[in-house]
Amino acid sequence: MKRQVRAAWRLVRVLVHLVTGLGTVALRFPRMPESEQHARVQAWSRQMLVHAGITLDVRGTPAPHGPVLLVANHLSWLDITVMHAARHCRFISKSDVKGWPLVGTLATAAGTLYLERSSRRDAVRMVRLMQEALARREVLAVFPEGTTADGTALLPFHANLLQAAVAADAPVQPVGLCFVERATGAPTTAPNYVGDDTLVGSLWRTLTADALVAVVHYGPLEQAQGRDRRAWADDLRHAVDALRRP
């Protein structure tokens, strides 16, 4: 019973924080310089983790500035918030997210670029937009598995979005994500959102769990060094696999 009451309190705080974020986006973002928007997104994301009962543990050194493409494994609906909390970046996301209530508005305000994955033409458009963003020295982020996985093994990495980094001669930074129990350090699947999971079910598991830690482990920057996107994607998968282990 105590756990359920704690989860309900966390849920109230999360919902209030979501509404506060929407108010900031609607009323204050239009008057803010981009650098201040990025700082607000990072601060908001860190506070969201606090409300959900999650501690952030950043390992390694995130790239101090762009151009850079962050490449990470994908476990949960929380991953974007966790990565924003560690270091602001612009995500490449499936177009469905744009229409999600609340979340879509916040994702768009954070600078998300949307991709229609079923369209080859849209993939070409996205690579061009990413290349232009990297030329502006921005920090981009992708989940090359293309969907969430259960954390036991990485899915194959789709190589197409690496083409922008190859074309722009920009570095890529592998990032490993995992969630662990704060008390034991053991991996936990509570925040996972995969297969038949529902968003509500995953959210409730996360909020009812004992204290969790979101680990974001940054690896060293690397260049293509003559590798094509497929060979580079395979090497990055191995790098992320090593980084994601607690």
Side-chain angles (χ1 to χ4, degrees), residues 157-236:
F157 276 17
H158 297 290
N160 54 341
L161 294 180
L162 286 176
Q163 183 59 40
V166 173
D169 193 27
V172 169
Q173 185 167 33
V175 183
L177 303 178
C178 69
F179 295 92
V180 300
E181 297 174 354
R182 189 187 305 170
T184 65
T188 176
T189 59
N192 284 18
Y193 181 40
V194 62
D196 294 330
D197 282 340
T198 64
L199 181 57
V200 172
S202 176
L203 172 62
W204 190 246
R205 279 201 315 271
T206 303
L207 297 178
T208 55
D210 291 328
L212 302 179
V213 178
V215 181
V216 186
H217 194 172
Y218 292 91
L221 294 167
E222 57 177 82
Q223 302 280 159
Q225 294 181 322
R227 290 172 288 186
D228 64 24
R229 65 188 187 186
R230 290 180 177 81
W232 200 6
D234 189 51
D235 290 344
L236 286 166

Side-chain angles (χ1 to χ4, degrees), residues 51-78:
H51 291 323
I54 299 171
T55 301
L56 179 66
D57 179 7
V58 179
R59 303 176 185 177
T61 304
H65 54 74
V68 65
L69 177 64
L70 307 179
V71 169
N73 59 307
H74 199 10
L75 297 166
S76 170
W77 53 274
L78 264 174

